[in-house]
Amino acid sequence: MNLTDEKLMEKFQNGDTEALNELYERYRAPLFRFIYRCTRDDQLSMDVVQDAFLKLQQKKHYFSPEKGRLKTYLFQIAYHTMISKIKMRARWHRLLPFLYKEPVNISRSDEKMEVERMLQSLSNEQRAVIVLFYYHDLSQKDIARILNIPLGTVKSRLYQAVQKMRKEWGIESDGKGS
């Protein structure tokens, strides 16, 4: 029987650890892809996913389906965990630069590499919106909740990022935002 995310979370909140395992299997890969597309760092992405599920475990009773979907809640936890880790890494890099390790690039097709390069050229804020919207099919409203920003800010970041990418690809805008 395939339970909804919210039903699995309810079971986990009531002590069923197998429900957490099922949620982990469902969301481990999508969360990893989201964080990796933002950071291009395998190890950081794996750490963030693990930490996100640890936080879910520790604060399982804070989730309420009335406030939103579990997917949105998990992506929000992962995003905020990623931001914290990036800030901590930047502090360590300033203090002890020899500890900093550059992420290893994996060879890809030219087109994928170009898309990755363009994603990296966006601001962190624009990149997060693009990745959540296009790669994870989240609604703008869900993105606003995950990033804890107004819906209008999501829309403007999405528009600005798309315009920047169109310009880099040499695609003229029709002036209508599409």
Side-chain angles (χ1 to χ4, degrees):
M1 180 159 98
N2 222 358
L3 296 175
T4 66
D5 295 341
E6 287 70 24
K7 286 290 183 191
L8 281 171
M9 187 62 189
E10 182 182 334
K11 287 180 75 169
F12 173 58
Q13 287 172 324
N14 292 324
D16 184 348
T17 56
E18 282 304 310
L20 177 64
N21 292 338
E22 176 66 27
L23 289 170
Y24 180 77
E25 288 305 315
R26 284 184 189 183
Y27 284 102
R28 172 179 47 126
L31 288 172
F32 176 86
R33 285 190 302 269
F34 165 57
I35 300 302
Y36 183 80
R37 286 184 178 124
C38 289
T39 65
R40 296 182 64 193
D41 184 328
D42 283 327
Q43 189 59 51
L44 176 63
S45 301
M46 287 186 276
D47 290 346
V48 168
V49 170
Q50 292 298 316
D51 288 355
F53 276 95
L54 281 173
K55 288 178 183 179
L56 178 68
Q57 206 170 2
Q58 293 165 347
K59 299 181 179 195
K60 65 184 178 183
H61 293 291
Y62 287 105
F63 173 75
S64 170
E66 290 82 32
K67 294 180 185 176
R69 298 181 317 158
L70 181 66
K71 180 178 182 178
T72 304
Y73 186 66
L74 274 171
F75 273 77
Q76 183 177 39
I77 292 170
Y79 177 77
H80 289 292
T81 302
M82 175 190 73
I83 295 299
S84 294
K85 285 187 173 286
I86 288 171
K87 286 179 180 176
M88 186 184 319
R89 179 183 277 183
R91 283 192 297 269
W92 279 109
H93 185 244
R94 281 191 305 277
L95 294 172
L96 305 166
F98 57 87
L99 292 179
Y100 185 73
K101 180 184 127 206
E102 290 294 322
V104 177
N105 289 331
I106 301 166
S107 64
R108 305 166 191 214
S109 72
D110 288 343
E111 189 173 288
K112 280 186 178 180
M113 286 176 56
E114 181 65 15
V115 170
E116 287 290 328
R117 186 194 62 73
M118 282 200 297
L119 277 174
Q120 292 306 312
S121 75
L122 299 173
S123 69
N124 289 336
E125 293 83 9
Q126 290 174 336
R127 187 178 322 119
V129 171
I130 288 285
V131 169
L132 288 169
F133 188 76
Y134 288 106
Y135 288 86
H136 295 282
D137 297 321
L138 289 169
S139 71
Q140 292 177 357
K141 188 183 274 188
D142 285 343
I143 294 168
R145 282 191 206 112
I146 290 168
L147 302 180
N148 197 27
I149 57 175
L151 181 59
T153 303
V154 170
K155 291 179 180 192
S156 69
R157 286 180 185 173
L158 189 58
Y159 176 79
Q160 291 167 356
V162 168
Q163 292 307 310
K164 182 175 182 179
M165 292 177 82
R166 282 175 166 263
K167 185 177 179 182
E168 285 194 36
W169 274 92
I171 301 170
E172 292 300 316
S173 175
D174 60 8
K176 297 177 186 170
S178 59

